[in-house]
Amino acid sequence: MAAADTLAAARPRANRTISWLVFAIAIALIMTTPFLPNYHVRVLNSLLIYILLGIGLNIVIGYTGLLDLGFVAFYAVGAYSYGLLASPQLGLHMPFLLILLVAACLGAVTGILLGIPVLRLRGDYLAIVTLGFGEIIRIIINNLDWLTGGPQGIARLDKASILGIQIARPIDFFWLLLITVLIVGTVVWRLERSILGKAWAAIREDQDAARGIGINTTNAKLAAFATSATIGSIAGAIFAASQRFVSPESFTLQESVLIVLMIVVGGIGNIFGIVAGAAILILLPELLREFAEWRILFLGLLMISLIIARPAGIVPRSFGPEKLIRGLFGK
Protein backbone atom coordinates (compact mmCIF):
# COMPACT_ATOMS: atom_id res chain seq x y z
CA MET A 1 0.00 0.00 0.00
CA ALA A 2 2.82 2.37 0.92
CA ALA A 3 4.63 1.55 -2.33
CA ALA A 4 1.48 2.29 -4.32
CA ASP A 5 1.06 5.63 -2.55
CA THR A 6 4.70 6.50 -3.22
CA LEU A 7 4.29 5.64 -6.90
CA ALA A 8 1.11 7.71 -7.16
CA ALA A 9 2.85 10.68 -5.55
CA ALA A 10 5.85 10.35 -7.86
CA ARG A 11 3.81 10.47 -11.06
CA PRO A 12 2.82 14.16 -10.82
CA ARG A 13 6.44 15.08 -10.08
CA ALA A 14 7.66 13.09 -13.08
CA ASN A 15 5.00 14.69 -15.28
CA ARG A 16 6.00 18.15 -14.03
CA THR A 17 9.67 17.45 -14.76
CA ILE A 18 8.96 16.16 -18.27
CA SER A 19 6.63 19.07 -19.01
CA TRP A 20 9.14 21.70 -17.95
CA LEU A 21 11.91 19.91 -19.85
CA VAL A 22 9.84 19.88 -23.05
CA PHE A 23 8.89 23.52 -22.53
CA ALA A 24 12.50 24.57 -21.88
CA ILE A 25 13.80 22.78 -24.99
CA ALA A 26 11.10 24.38 -27.14
CA ILE A 27 11.80 27.88 -25.81
CA ALA A 28 15.57 27.43 -26.21
CA LEU A 29 15.13 26.29 -29.81
CA ILE A 30 12.83 29.18 -30.64
CA MET A 31 15.09 31.78 -29.03
CA THR A 32 18.25 30.53 -30.78
CA THR A 33 16.70 30.20 -34.24
CA PRO A 34 17.21 33.89 -35.25
CA PHE A 35 20.96 33.42 -34.75
CA LEU A 36 21.24 30.30 -36.91
CA PRO A 37 22.49 30.32 -40.52
CA ASN A 38 19.82 30.53 -43.20
CA TYR A 39 20.31 26.89 -44.17
CA HIS A 40 19.48 25.69 -40.66
CA VAL A 41 16.48 28.00 -40.49
CA ARG A 42 15.22 26.54 -43.77
CA VAL A 43 15.53 23.06 -42.30
CA LEU A 44 13.47 24.16 -39.30
CA ASN A 45 10.92 25.70 -41.68
CA SER A 46 10.67 22.36 -43.45
CA LEU A 47 10.18 20.70 -40.07
CA LEU A 48 7.33 23.09 -39.21
CA ILE A 49 5.64 22.52 -42.57
CA TYR A 50 5.71 18.77 -42.01
CA ILE A 51 4.40 19.22 -38.47
CA LEU A 52 1.52 21.21 -39.95
CA LEU A 53 0.89 18.47 -42.51
CA GLY A 54 1.08 15.84 -39.78
CA ILE A 55 -1.47 17.68 -37.66
CA GLY A 56 -3.81 17.77 -40.64
CA LEU A 57 -3.45 14.11 -41.58
CA ASN A 58 -3.67 13.07 -37.94
CA ILE A 59 -7.31 14.20 -37.89
CA VAL A 60 -8.18 11.51 -40.42
CA ILE A 61 -5.76 8.79 -39.32
CA GLY A 62 -5.38 9.40 -35.60
CA TYR A 63 -8.73 10.82 -34.54
CA THR A 64 -11.09 9.16 -37.02
CA GLY A 65 -9.18 5.97 -37.78
CA LEU A 66 -9.26 6.31 -41.59
CA LEU A 67 -6.11 5.50 -43.54
CA ASP A 68 -5.52 8.28 -46.07
CA LEU A 69 -2.57 7.81 -48.43
CA GLY A 70 -3.49 10.68 -50.72
CA PHE A 71 -3.05 13.58 -48.32
CA VAL A 72 -0.35 15.10 -50.50
CA ALA A 73 -3.11 16.07 -52.95
CA PHE A 74 -4.38 18.73 -50.54
CA TYR A 75 -0.83 19.94 -50.03
CA ALA A 76 -0.62 20.37 -53.81
CA VAL A 77 -3.97 22.19 -53.96
CA GLY A 78 -2.71 24.79 -51.50
CA ALA A 79 0.66 25.17 -53.19
CA TYR A 80 -0.82 25.63 -56.65
CA SER A 81 -3.43 28.01 -55.28
CA TYR A 82 -0.58 30.30 -54.35
CA GLY A 83 1.29 29.51 -57.55
CA LEU A 84 -1.64 30.52 -59.75
CA LEU A 85 -2.90 33.48 -57.75
CA ALA A 86 0.43 35.13 -57.00
CA SER A 87 2.45 34.87 -60.18
CA PRO A 88 2.54 35.97 -63.82
CA GLN A 89 1.05 32.58 -64.79
CA LEU A 90 -2.51 33.96 -64.80
CA GLY A 91 -1.53 37.58 -64.34
CA LEU A 92 -2.97 37.58 -60.83
CA HIS A 93 -1.18 39.01 -57.83
CA MET A 94 -3.54 38.57 -54.91
CA PRO A 95 -2.64 39.37 -51.29
CA PHE A 96 -1.05 36.57 -49.31
CA LEU A 97 -3.74 36.35 -46.62
CA LEU A 98 -6.49 36.25 -49.24
CA ILE A 99 -4.70 33.42 -51.03
CA LEU A 100 -4.44 31.54 -47.75
CA LEU A 101 -8.21 31.87 -47.36
CA VAL A 102 -8.80 30.72 -50.94
CA ALA A 103 -6.41 27.79 -50.47
CA ALA A 104 -8.16 26.78 -47.26
CA CYS A 105 -11.58 26.89 -48.94
CA LEU A 106 -10.37 24.96 -51.99
CA GLY A 107 -8.76 22.41 -49.69
CA ALA A 108 -11.99 21.94 -47.74
CA VAL A 109 -14.01 21.50 -50.94
CA THR A 110 -11.45 19.02 -52.30
CA GLY A 111 -11.53 17.12 -49.01
CA ILE A 112 -15.31 16.83 -49.18
CA LEU A 113 -15.14 15.74 -52.83
CA LEU A 114 -12.74 12.98 -51.79
CA GLY A 115 -14.78 12.09 -48.73
CA ILE A 116 -18.11 11.60 -50.48
CA PRO A 117 -17.15 8.60 -52.67
CA VAL A 118 -15.14 6.86 -49.93
CA LEU A 119 -17.69 7.11 -47.12
CA ARG A 120 -18.49 3.41 -47.26
CA LEU A 121 -14.90 2.25 -47.65
CA ARG A 122 -12.67 1.09 -44.82
CA GLY A 123 -9.19 -0.25 -44.27
CA ASP A 124 -7.15 -1.27 -47.30
CA TYR A 125 -9.85 -0.26 -49.79
CA LEU A 126 -9.92 3.27 -48.40
CA ALA A 127 -6.12 3.45 -48.50
CA ILE A 128 -6.03 2.35 -52.16
CA VAL A 129 -8.69 4.85 -53.25
CA THR A 130 -7.07 7.78 -51.44
CA LEU A 131 -3.67 6.77 -52.84
CA GLY A 132 -5.18 6.85 -56.32
CA PHE A 133 -6.74 10.24 -55.62
CA GLY A 134 -3.37 11.68 -54.67
CA GLU A 135 -1.78 10.34 -57.84
CA ILE A 136 -4.64 11.63 -59.99
CA ILE A 137 -4.16 15.16 -58.67
CA ARG A 138 -0.40 14.98 -59.32
CA ILE A 139 -0.90 13.66 -62.85
CA ILE A 140 -3.48 16.35 -63.63
CA ILE A 141 -1.09 19.04 -62.41
CA ASN A 142 1.72 17.46 -64.41
CA ASN A 143 -0.28 17.47 -67.65
CA LEU A 144 -2.07 20.83 -67.55
CA ASP A 145 0.86 22.69 -69.06
CA TRP A 146 -1.24 25.70 -70.06
CA LEU A 147 -2.40 26.21 -66.47
CA THR A 148 0.11 24.70 -64.07
CA GLY A 149 3.26 24.86 -66.17
CA GLY A 150 3.38 21.07 -66.34
CA PRO A 151 6.57 19.35 -65.18
CA GLN A 152 8.43 22.67 -65.22
CA GLY A 153 6.13 24.11 -62.60
CA ILE A 154 5.48 27.77 -61.90
CA ALA A 155 8.34 30.11 -61.08
CA ARG A 156 8.69 33.77 -60.10
CA LEU A 157 5.98 33.63 -57.47
CA ASP A 158 5.25 36.87 -55.64
CA LYS A 159 6.88 37.56 -52.31
CA ALA A 160 4.46 37.13 -49.46
CA SER A 161 3.49 40.09 -47.31
CA ILE A 162 1.09 40.59 -44.42
CA LEU A 163 -0.28 44.05 -43.65
CA GLY A 164 2.52 45.61 -45.67
CA ILE A 165 5.23 43.60 -43.91
CA GLN A 166 7.18 41.58 -46.45
CA ILE A 167 7.89 37.96 -45.63
CA ALA A 168 10.87 36.92 -47.68
CA ARG A 169 13.72 35.76 -45.45
CA PRO A 170 13.83 32.23 -43.99
CA ILE A 171 13.51 33.65 -40.47
CA ASP A 172 10.34 35.50 -41.51
CA PHE A 173 8.78 32.24 -42.63
CA PHE A 174 9.96 30.57 -39.44
CA TRP A 175 7.87 32.97 -37.34
CA LEU A 176 4.93 32.67 -39.72
CA LEU A 177 5.05 28.88 -39.63
CA LEU A 178 5.54 28.76 -35.88
CA ILE A 179 2.50 30.96 -35.29
CA THR A 180 0.47 28.92 -37.79
CA VAL A 181 1.45 25.63 -36.16
CA LEU A 182 0.53 26.96 -32.70
CA ILE A 183 -2.84 28.28 -33.89
CA VAL A 184 -3.72 25.19 -35.91
CA GLY A 185 -2.49 22.87 -33.16
CA THR A 186 -4.62 24.66 -30.57
CA VAL A 187 -7.72 24.59 -32.79
CA VAL A 188 -7.27 20.89 -33.54
CA TRP A 189 -6.71 20.11 -29.87
CA ARG A 190 -9.95 21.90 -28.99
CA LEU A 191 -11.72 20.05 -31.79
CA GLU A 192 -10.52 16.75 -30.37
CA ARG A 193 -12.14 17.64 -27.05
CA SER A 194 -15.38 18.82 -28.67
CA ILE A 195 -18.50 16.85 -29.53
CA LEU A 196 -17.16 16.43 -33.05
CA GLY A 197 -13.90 15.06 -31.68
CA LYS A 198 -15.81 12.54 -29.58
CA ALA A 199 -17.72 11.51 -32.69
CA TRP A 200 -14.42 10.97 -34.50
CA ALA A 201 -13.17 8.85 -31.60
CA ALA A 202 -16.35 6.77 -31.66
CA ILE A 203 -15.95 6.15 -35.40
CA ARG A 204 -12.33 5.16 -34.83
CA GLU A 205 -13.25 2.61 -32.18
CA ASP A 206 -16.32 1.11 -33.87
CA GLN A 207 -18.07 2.77 -36.76
CA ASP A 208 -21.16 0.56 -36.61
CA ALA A 209 -21.56 1.14 -32.88
CA ALA A 210 -21.12 4.88 -33.41
CA ARG A 211 -23.91 4.85 -35.96
CA GLY A 212 -26.01 2.78 -33.59
CA ILE A 213 -25.85 5.38 -30.81
CA GLY A 214 -27.02 8.13 -33.13
CA ILE A 215 -23.79 9.64 -34.43
CA ASN A 216 -24.06 10.92 -37.99
CA THR A 217 -20.96 9.16 -39.26
CA THR A 218 -21.34 10.63 -42.74
CA ASN A 219 -21.13 14.22 -41.55
CA ALA A 220 -18.40 13.42 -39.04
CA LYS A 221 -16.23 11.77 -41.70
CA LEU A 222 -16.77 14.61 -44.16
CA ALA A 223 -15.86 17.09 -41.43
CA ALA A 224 -12.66 15.13 -40.76
CA PHE A 225 -11.69 15.10 -44.44
CA ALA A 226 -12.55 18.78 -44.88
CA THR A 227 -10.66 19.91 -41.77
CA SER A 228 -7.66 17.77 -42.62
CA ALA A 229 -7.58 19.02 -46.22
CA THR A 230 -7.89 22.64 -45.10
CA ILE A 231 -4.78 22.35 -42.96
CA GLY A 232 -2.91 20.56 -45.73
CA SER A 233 -3.78 23.31 -48.20
CA ILE A 234 -2.67 26.05 -45.82
CA ALA A 235 0.66 24.27 -45.43
CA GLY A 236 0.95 24.00 -49.20
CA ALA A 237 0.31 27.71 -49.74
CA ILE A 238 2.95 28.69 -47.18
CA PHE A 239 5.38 26.19 -48.72
CA ALA A 240 4.89 27.71 -52.18
CA ALA A 241 5.32 31.23 -50.81
CA SER A 242 8.55 30.28 -49.07
CA GLN A 243 10.00 28.56 -52.15
CA ARG A 244 8.61 31.04 -54.69
CA PHE A 245 8.42 28.07 -57.00
CA VAL A 246 6.10 25.09 -57.24
CA SER A 247 6.26 21.91 -59.33
CA PRO A 248 4.63 18.44 -59.32
CA GLU A 249 7.84 16.83 -58.05
CA SER A 250 7.09 18.15 -54.57
CA PHE A 251 3.82 16.21 -54.31
CA THR A 252 4.63 12.58 -54.94
CA LEU A 253 3.36 9.50 -53.13
CA GLN A 254 6.60 9.48 -51.17
CA GLU A 255 5.49 12.67 -49.42
CA SER A 256 2.21 11.10 -48.31
CA VAL A 257 4.02 8.03 -47.01
CA LEU A 258 6.51 10.22 -45.16
CA ILE A 259 3.71 12.08 -43.37
CA VAL A 260 2.02 8.81 -42.43
CA LEU A 261 5.33 7.50 -41.08
CA MET A 262 5.75 10.64 -38.99
CA ILE A 263 2.42 9.98 -37.33
CA VAL A 264 3.01 6.26 -36.81
CA VAL A 265 6.54 6.64 -35.45
CA GLY A 266 5.73 9.66 -33.30
CA GLY A 267 2.42 8.47 -31.91
CA ILE A 268 -0.95 8.21 -33.61
CA GLY A 269 -3.51 10.70 -32.36
CA ASN A 270 -1.00 12.84 -30.47
CA ILE A 271 0.14 16.30 -31.57
CA PHE A 272 3.38 15.97 -29.61
CA GLY A 273 3.93 12.62 -31.28
CA ILE A 274 3.76 14.34 -34.65
CA VAL A 275 6.47 16.76 -33.53
CA ALA A 276 8.67 13.86 -32.40
CA GLY A 277 8.06 11.91 -35.60
CA ALA A 278 8.80 14.94 -37.76
CA ALA A 279 12.00 15.63 -35.83
CA ILE A 280 13.23 12.10 -36.50
CA LEU A 281 12.25 11.89 -40.16
CA ILE A 282 13.07 15.47 -41.17
CA LEU A 283 15.96 16.56 -38.95
CA LEU A 284 17.89 13.30 -38.69
CA PRO A 285 18.48 12.96 -42.47
CA GLU A 286 19.95 16.46 -42.42
CA LEU A 287 22.18 15.67 -39.46
CA LEU A 288 23.37 12.52 -41.22
CA ARG A 289 23.84 14.17 -44.61
CA GLU A 290 27.61 13.61 -44.59
CA PHE A 291 26.94 9.88 -44.29
CA ALA A 292 25.01 9.87 -47.55
CA GLU A 293 25.62 6.19 -48.31
CA TRP A 294 24.48 4.98 -44.91
CA ARG A 295 21.85 7.41 -43.64
CA ILE A 296 18.87 5.70 -45.31
CA LEU A 297 19.95 2.36 -43.86
CA PHE A 298 20.40 3.94 -40.44
CA LEU A 299 16.99 5.63 -40.59
CA GLY A 300 15.35 2.39 -41.67
CA LEU A 301 16.90 0.46 -38.80
CA LEU A 302 15.97 3.23 -36.39
CA MET A 303 12.33 3.23 -37.49
CA ILE A 304 12.10 -0.56 -37.26
CA SER A 305 13.61 -0.44 -33.78
CA LEU A 306 11.24 2.31 -32.66
CA ILE A 307 8.18 0.52 -33.99
CA ILE A 308 9.23 -2.71 -32.25
CA ALA A 309 10.12 -0.98 -28.99
CA ARG A 310 7.26 1.54 -29.05
CA PRO A 311 4.44 0.13 -31.20
CA ALA A 312 2.12 2.91 -30.01
CA GLY A 313 4.66 5.58 -30.98
CA ILE A 314 7.40 7.51 -29.23
CA VAL A 315 4.96 9.77 -27.40
CA PRO A 316 2.02 7.95 -25.81
CA ARG A 317 -1.48 9.21 -26.54
CA SER A 318 -1.86 9.99 -22.83
CA PHE A 319 0.83 12.71 -22.96
CA GLY A 320 -1.00 15.45 -24.78
CA PRO A 321 -1.45 19.20 -24.39
CA GLU A 322 -3.64 18.73 -21.31
CA LYS A 323 -0.94 16.83 -19.48
CA LEU A 324 1.67 19.40 -20.49
CA ILE A 325 -0.48 22.24 -19.15
CA ARG A 326 -1.10 20.38 -15.90
CA GLY A 327 2.61 19.72 -15.56
CA LEU A 328 3.51 23.36 -16.14
CA PHE A 329 0.80 25.04 -14.14
CA GLY A 330 -0.36 22.31 -11.79
CA LYS A 331 -3.93 22.35 -13.12
Side-chain angles (χ1 to χ4, degrees), residues 96 100 160 162 167 171-181 238:
F96 176 67
L100 275 187
I162 298 177
I167 303 173
I171 190 62
D172 299 333
F173 279 100
F174 172 79
W175 295 120
L176 173 63
L177 283 164
L178 180 63
I179 292 169
T180 305
V181 166
I238 298 176

Side-chain angles (χ1 to χ4, degrees), residues 48-103:
L48 289 171
I49 286 174
Y50 276 100
I51 289 173
L52 199 55
L53 291 169
I55 291 173
L57 183 56
N58 190 52
I59 293 173
V60 174
I61 292 182
Y63 296 163
T64 318
L66 306 173
L67 182 55
D68 181 358
L69 293 180
F71 185 71
V72 74
F74 309 123
Y75 187 33
V77 167
Y80 273 89
S81 295
Y82 189 86
L84 293 171
L85 299 177
S87 74
Q89 187 74 6
L90 296 180
L92 298 174
H93 302 278
M94 294 172 60
F96 176 67
L97 289 180
L98 182 57
I99 295 175
L100 275 187
L101 179 61
V102 172

